[in-house]
Amino acid sequence: MNTIPVPSARRSFTTGVLAISFLVAGLSSAAEVKLDGLLAVIDAPSPCVTVQVQIFESEILKTMVALTPTGEVKPLGKTTPIPRFVKGMNYRLQAVCVSTKGIFQNTGLSFKADGRTVMVVFTKAGFVIKRGGLAY
């Protein structure tokens, strides 16, 4: 079996696209309630080892997750669910970079769920949170 080396920038983008694809595919099997996409990660070299995100629904803390530059969304706590955004509900996200390089960054995003994916994008300076394309 031959292995083809993939440049790291392309590999990172591919990993992010795969993470989004898997998350959206998982949502298509959820029959009754339409949900926004889960938090998805698009990789880029970053000083952040993880980005920890608190998710508030109508100002009530619903879940906390850690996102990694490899595309993983890990619940923080044994009973913490993976975030899902119900269409029409109001959400607020608070995120902070966990870094081994002394970088401190935090940011937030408030939105009304409308079917668009929420993405944490790892950047050279840290990360940004932004709304993406339609998940359904």
Side-chain angles (χ1 to χ4, degrees):
M1 179 176 178
N2 291 335
T3 304
I4 300 171
V6 178
S8 63
R10 184 168 180 208
R11 182 173 47 240
S12 294
F13 176 76
T14 303
T15 302
V17 171
L18 286 174
I20 291 170
S21 299
F22 289 134
L23 295 172
V24 171
L27 292 176
S28 65
S29 63
E32 294 179 29
V33 180
K34 288 187 177 182
L35 303 171
D36 272 36
L38 296 172
L39 288 171
V41 177
I42 297 178
D43 297 333
S46 174
C48 301
V49 176
T50 65
V51 174
Q52 294 185 357
V53 182
Q54 294 180 317
I55 298 145
F56 297 85
E57 181 181 275
S58 300
E59 296 305 316
I60 298 170
L61 180 62
K62 287 294 186 177
T63 191
M64 295 186 301
V65 295
L67 293 100
T68 69
T70 60
E72 295 177 86
V73 179
K74 299 178 180 181
L76 296 175
K78 291 182 179 181
T79 60
T80 303
I82 295 292
R84 296 185 179 208
F85 305 111
V86 178
K87 192 171 183 178
M89 295 295 291
N90 292 311
Y91 292 91
R92 181 171 56 88
L93 279 57
Q94 289 297 127
V96 64
C97 169
V98 176
S99 171
T100 58
K101 297 181 180 181
I103 302 294
F104 179 78
Q105 179 189 358
N106 66 8
T107 191
L109 174 71
S110 295
F111 64 96
K112 184 172 190 170
D114 63 358
R116 290 189 290 161
T117 303
V118 177
M119 296 181 287
V120 172
V121 181
F122 287 81
T123 66
K124 287 182 180 181
F127 72 97
V128 295
I129 299 177
K130 62 183 184 177
R131 301 293 303 278
L134 289 177
Y136 54 86

